[in-house]
Amino acid sequence: MAGSTYQITTWSILHSGERSQDAQLGIRQMPEMLTPSSRYCTHVLAMSKNQKSCIKGERLICMEIGSIVYPLIPLSEFFNDVTMLEFNDICIKELEKWINTHDAAHDWSHMFNEEWKKREEKVKTLIKRILKYDLTKENPTDPVVLPKVDCIFIGCCLEIISKTHDDVLTMLKKVSRWLTPGGHLIMYVVLNASYFTVGEHHFHILKLDEAFISKALRDIGYKIETIDLEERKSNHGAVSYDHFALIIAVMQ
């Protein structure tokens, strides 16, 4: 099982409290991994308005690769109570800076078009708690016990903190305990990836493919509603993968 030390090392470098030169370089290098955000927003909004899918409810858990906020842009229309789960204290502090409009907060305005900029303050008010989590623990948010929720968003993190496919399956099972029957799982996954870099630091990404993810979700008890693939369009050397996958599944 991947350990919490691995999680903390990876994202402490990217989300450095001191905003080191390497961390800043890493953030500038990663827009390629964030570019599907507009497509994600459009897709989730469409699915939310689809009566058969009905991605709606009261409570949402958001698990991202660090203090990244764009998944909340469309989901803020359909949920009133958001729990943000972060790998470490540095990520939590970065997110709190953004919520509190601190001068040193990362500027996410490039992720909000003119329409969504109007909703930025509402997004901040929906975040009711920010917790540190460790998926190597039986209760990942120990000592806090989270209630079941209506939707979980997982954004490109399991493939980074996992060392084996068994790790991914075990972590997905733990996360899925938080989801109510009929609740939705929304996942962003990088497929056939091998590494990403932050400045001079080089990190491994566990290679996952569509077949593995689909089988894992079905085995846990999900019905997959959609898998939307987006081919890589850049040859930037900061990250290696061939597709993004947006997966929406419902717990049976």
Side-chain angles (χ1 to χ4, degrees), residues 60-251:
L60 164 73
I61 288 176
C62 185
M63 302 168 58
E64 257 290 359
I65 49 173
S67 47
I68 295 172
V69 301
Y70 80 77
L72 297 180
I73 297 174
L75 292 174
S76 65
E77 287 205 355
F78 309 107
F79 298 94
N80 299 313
D81 183 312
V82 177
T83 299
M84 300 293 291
L85 299 185
E86 299 289 355
F87 288 135
N88 53 51
D89 293 330
I90 293 173
C91 292
I92 290 174
K93 289 177 181 177
E94 287 296 309
L95 187 55
E96 288 174 340
K97 287 177 185 177
W98 175 74
I99 291 172
N100 297 320
T101 320
H102 192 282
D103 290 343
H106 185 71
D107 182 7
W108 289 103
S109 60
H110 63 289
M111 303 302 297
F112 291 80
N113 61 28
E114 289 304 315
E115 178 183 355
W116 287 114
K117 281 181 182 178
K118 300 173 185 176
R119 301 184 60 83
E120 185 172 0
E121 292 307 312
K122 178 184 178 181
V123 171
K124 293 178 181 180
T125 65
L126 297 179
I127 299 174
K128 306 303 182 184
R129 62 201 64 79
I130 307 172
L131 302 174
K132 183 159 61 174
Y133 75 104
D134 182 348
L135 287 171
T136 66
K137 295 181 177 180
E138 185 61 25
N139 173 17
T141 57
D142 184 60
V144 178
V145 178
L146 290 176
K148 288 188 177 291
V149 299
D150 306 295
C151 184
I152 298 174
F153 176 89
I154 304 177
C156 300
C157 55
L158 296 184
E159 60 268 46
I160 291 176
I161 64 176
S162 300
K163 294 182 179 179
T164 69
H165 286 175
D166 284 344
D167 288 348
V168 174
L169 186 58
T170 299
M171 292 180 184
L172 266 176
K173 287 179 179 177
K174 286 184 181 179
V175 170
S176 298
R177 295 174 193 165
W178 289 321
L179 199 57
T180 59
H184 281 84
L185 174 69
I186 304 173
M187 289 184 69
Y188 245 145
V189 185
V190 284
L191 300 181
N192 297 312
S194 57
Y195 71 87
F196 73 96
T197 60
V198 180
E200 64 182 13
H201 303 283
H202 190 94
F203 296 99
H204 170 74
I205 303 177
L206 181 65
K207 183 174 287 189
L208 303 177
D209 59 28
E210 182 182 349
F212 170 78
I213 293 294
S214 298
K215 184 178 186 304
L217 292 174
R218 287 194 297 266
D219 288 349
I220 292 170
Y222 287 99
K223 177 183 178 182
I224 298 173
E225 294 189 334
T226 183
I227 299 180
D228 185 24
L229 300 180
E230 183 167 358
E231 189 175 3
R232 181 179 181 178
K233 298 180 176 64
S234 169
N235 292 321
H236 199 297
V239 60
S240 170
Y241 71 99
D242 61 26
H243 285 84
F244 262 106
L246 172 62
I247 303 169
I248 300 178
V250 62
M251 176 59 77

Side-chain angles (χ1 to χ4, degrees), residues 22-42:
D22 277 349
Q24 285 297 309
L25 176 61
I27 290 172
R28 288 195 297 271
Q29 286 177 335
M30 291 189 73
E32 179 185 346
M33 293 189 71
L34 300 177
T35 51
S37 60
S38 60
R39 182 172 180 175
Y40 153 79
C41 291
T42 301

